[in-house]
Amino acid sequence: MSQFNRRNLILAGVGIPMLTGLSHSPLRAQPLGANPFTLGVASGDPWPDGFVIWTRLAPRPLDEHGGMPAVRVPVRWEVSENDSFTRVVRQGEAVARPEMGHSVHVEVEGLMPYRRYWYRFAVAGSDLSNVGTAVTAPLAGATLQRLRIGVGGCNHYAQGFYDAWEHLSREPDLDLVFHYGDYIYEGGGAAAPVAGHGAGSVRQHFGGEIYSLDDYRRRYAQYKSDPGLIAVHAASAFACSFDDHEVDNNWAGAYDQDGTPPEVFMLRRFAALQAWYENMPVRRAQFPTRAGVKAYRRLDYGRLLRMHVLDTRSYRDDQPCDDRFRGNVCPPEARSANMLGQAQETWLDEGLGHETNWNLLAQQVIMMPLDFRSEIGGAEGLFATDLWDGYRPARQRLIDTLRRRRLTNVIVASGDNHRHGAGEIPVDDRVLDGDKAAVEFLASSISSGGNGEGEKKTASLMPDNPHWRMYTDRRGYQLFDITPREWATSVKVIDKVSEPGGLMSTLGVYVVEPHEAKLHKL
């Protein structure tokens, strides 16, 4: 990716009222120093006429307020048809405000559909930002022959290095990256060892467990300073959601895992989700309000794909049976009813009526039933209640919607579990090898869980889960290569995250055709 500093830009004579125009701004502050763009740039949520571009000013990321003074700072931006910025097509000025952690969100409009653009930012008296690139979406109803989406998440800073993000940034022809969540982790200091996973502290969080808005801002700054994350954000637009660790482990609606009174936990949740908004390339529609953050939304890619980005945390009921694995100690009637909430369920039902080659449910936690008895020990089924298994009435309603609409073209993308998986969602969870409603791809973590054990532990689960075709404890990401006739998912694995220099390989490729919810391995 091309990068420019201020001196080289002036010497080259290319564009920028970006610098000269700032001197007339009534908001102009004192120069911030050489590089206020230490957290990089990002883009997100492409539409046919544009996308969001993002940056956040933080000359000293781990200092109080990122080393920024408590003033508003004008930031110039420009979008170009080439990476040398000799064909600038859009430019303007935004304001980085201390109330929003000096983040900048610009919803660029007026671009051409399904075309690659480059963008960058500048502040008077400082270097330019690095350069990012993004592709707009095609027009509604357009016929698209191919689309490529990367999927990743669970990037625990203290449990591993981000070489997988670096590898993903070099994948050719990326249209989008879906980050399913767990962008940060809320715990403090060193990472607790994960038994058998080679995970402990390979590097350390700054400070203790985070609670305040300033805490969350600093944690994002530490994560976003990593070169791997900077590289992958610069390489492609993102569609970002959140899972639990952006707030607190296994939170559900107004409840945390520690029994905090809901009215107190909601203060922490609001601070955490404000920080999420400040640090993600999302639109004004996701701006935090008293009601929270409305993270569910759609992205359309012509007639080829409708992507439903879901929120499986904000509207769910509390996990049943104290968030434990469910066996006989947790009776069926205790299952929680709501995972998405009524409004989001209705919105999803209506959106699934759109005619398209493929529907992608981009969400957070495993939807397929997953019996852990052979891993944990027990003669009868054991199911994790934080997953859709703890919310079986909600899962059944979704399956009923797919059946009522006669949809066979639904792909579910999941994360959270720190393992790669692929399988088919049964119509009836009592008949695991019966009819299937959709295909699910579980993308592993980027670093969470350490190096992993491959199939050493997960292989024992397969006999109790015949609807799963693959399940492995390895780090990495997935690539979705989508055409009107075929959906191909490449499962990418990295050999180590405990030290830099991990090597990436393809574990397998799985193919789905739109007329049948069935996996085929190439």
Side-chain angles (χ1 to χ4, degrees), residues 348-362:
L348 179 58
D349 189 341
E350 293 170 350
L352 287 167
H354 179 76
E355 289 190 10
T356 186
N357 293 108
W358 297 98
N359 282 280
L360 172 59
L361 306 187

Side-chain angles (χ1 to χ4, degrees), residues 237-260:
F238 270 52
C240 296
S241 189
F242 52 77
D243 193 24
D244 53 337
H245 289 288
E246 284 87 351
V247 182
D248 185 42
N249 181 56
N250 283 12
W251 70 279
Y255 303 94
D256 71 358
Q257 65 177 345
D258 303 315
T260 304

Side-chain angles (χ1 to χ4, degrees), residues 34 46 57 60 81 151 158 181 277 426 443:
L57 305 182
R60 298 182 301 280
E81 292 180 335
V151 182
Y277 172 82

Side-chain angles (χ1 to χ4, degrees), residues 148 163 165-174 231-232 235 477 502:
R148 174 168 259 206
D163 292 87
W165 282 135
E166 187 77 39
H167 283 285
L168 180 56
S169 75
R170 296 195 291 267
E171 294 282 2
D173 303 320
L174 277 177
V232 74
Y477 57 84

Side-chain angles (χ1 to χ4, degrees), residues 329-345:
V329 296
C330 185
E333 58 268 22
R335 296 166 183 163
S336 292
N338 292 300
M339 174 66 91
L340 303 178
Q342 182 60 57
Q344 188 175 189
E345 277 194 16

Side-chain angles (χ1 to χ4, degrees), residues 266 269-270 273 285-295 314-315:
M266 290 296 282
R269 177 182 138 173
F270 188 90
L273 293 182
Q286 281 68 64
F287 191 89
T289 68
R290 293 183 189 178
V293 169
K294 186 178 178 181
S314 299
Y315 312 103

Side-chain angles (χ1 to χ4, degrees), residues 32-87:
L32 298 176
N35 181 21
F37 301 106
T38 59
L39 309 185
V41 301
S43 61
D45 286 14
W47 288 356
D49 69 336
F51 37 74
V52 179
I53 58 174
W54 170 96
T55 194
R56 178 182 160 202
L57 305 182
R60 298 182 301 280
L62 297 183
D63 284 5
E64 186 178 19
H65 309 307
M68 287 292 296
V71 296
R72 295 173 295 163
V73 178
V75 180
R76 293 289 295 179
W77 59 268
E78 59 182 7
V79 177
S80 174
E81 292 180 335
N82 60 7
D83 63 0
S84 61
F85 288 83
T86 58
R87 297 202 300 271

Side-chain angles (χ1 to χ4, degrees), residues 114-383:
Y114 206 53
R115 181 175 295 186
R116 181 171 296 280
Y117 291 91
W118 289 260
Y119 63 93
R120 63 185 178 186
F121 297 88
V123 170
S126 301
D127 292 339
L128 291 178
S129 73
N130 61 315
V131 174
T133 184
V135 180
T136 52
L139 289 171
T143 299
L144 194 63
Q145 295 305 313
R146 58 152 300 278
L147 188 68
R148 174 168 259 206
I149 298 175
V151 182
C154 287
N155 30 279
H156 197 307
Y157 182 88
Q159 289 188 351
F161 290 91
Y162 291 168
D163 292 87
W165 282 135
E166 187 77 39
H167 283 285
L168 180 56
S169 75
R170 296 195 291 267
E171 294 282 2
D173 303 320
L174 277 177
D175 293 286
L176 189 70
V177 172
F178 170 53
H179 195 295
Y180 57 72
D182 290 347
Y183 195 102
I184 61 166
Y185 281 71
E186 79 285 9
V194 180
H197 285 241
S201 290
V202 299
R203 45 189 183 172
Q204 189 158 335
H205 280 142
F206 181 88
E209 182 157 350
I210 54 178
Y211 290 92
S212 71
L213 178 56
D214 284 341
D215 289 343
Y216 283 100
R217 284 171 172 168
R218 185 178 285 114
R219 186 60 53 85
Y220 276 103
Q222 183 174 25
Y223 277 55
K224 295 179 79 70
S225 299
D226 185 277
L229 257 181
I230 290 174
V232 74
H233 274 298
S236 174
F238 270 52
C240 296
S241 189
F242 52 77
D243 193 24
D244 53 337
H245 289 288
E246 284 87 351
V247 182
D248 185 42
N249 181 56
N250 283 12
W251 70 279
Y255 303 94
D256 71 358
Q257 65 177 345
D258 303 315
T260 304
E263 65 274 16
V264 177
F265 170 67
M266 290 296 282
L267 297 175
R268 181 184 187 182
R269 177 182 138 173
F270 188 90
L273 293 182
Q274 177 177 335
W276 176 83
Y277 172 82
E278 290 175 356
N279 286 279
M280 295 297 113
V282 291
R283 293 182 178 271
R284 284 187 293 271
Q286 281 68 64
F287 191 89
T289 68
R290 293 183 189 178
V293 169
K294 186 178 178 181
Y296 64 88
R297 58 204 190 274
R298 292 191 187 94
L299 297 173
D300 286 329
Y301 282 84
R303 294 181 58 84
L304 181 60
L305 175 73
R306 168 159 278 193
M307 182 177 182
H308 313 260
V309 181
L310 304 184
D311 175 357
T312 61
R313 287 288 165 190
S314 299
Y315 312 103
R316 64 157 79 183
D317 296 331
D318 198 9
Q319 294 96 342
C321 300
D322 298 322
D323 193 12
R324 296 176 300 185
F325 282 91
R326 182 184 63 78
N328 289 334
V329 296
C330 185
E333 58 268 22
R335 296 166 183 163
S336 292
N338 292 300
M339 174 66 91
L340 303 178
Q342 182 60 57
Q344 188 175 189
E345 277 194 16
T346 301
W347 168 87
L348 179 58
D349 189 341
E350 293 170 350
L352 287 167
H354 179 76
E355 289 190 10
T356 186
N357 293 108
W358 297 98
N359 282 280
L360 172 59
L361 306 187
Q363 52 104 57
Q364 289 73 50
V365 296
I366 296 172
M367 188 175 291
M368 289 182 286
L370 180 55
D371 186 343
F372 285 96
R373 76 178 82 172
S374 67
E375 181 174 331
I376 296 174
E380 297 185 1
L382 285 173
F383 301 90

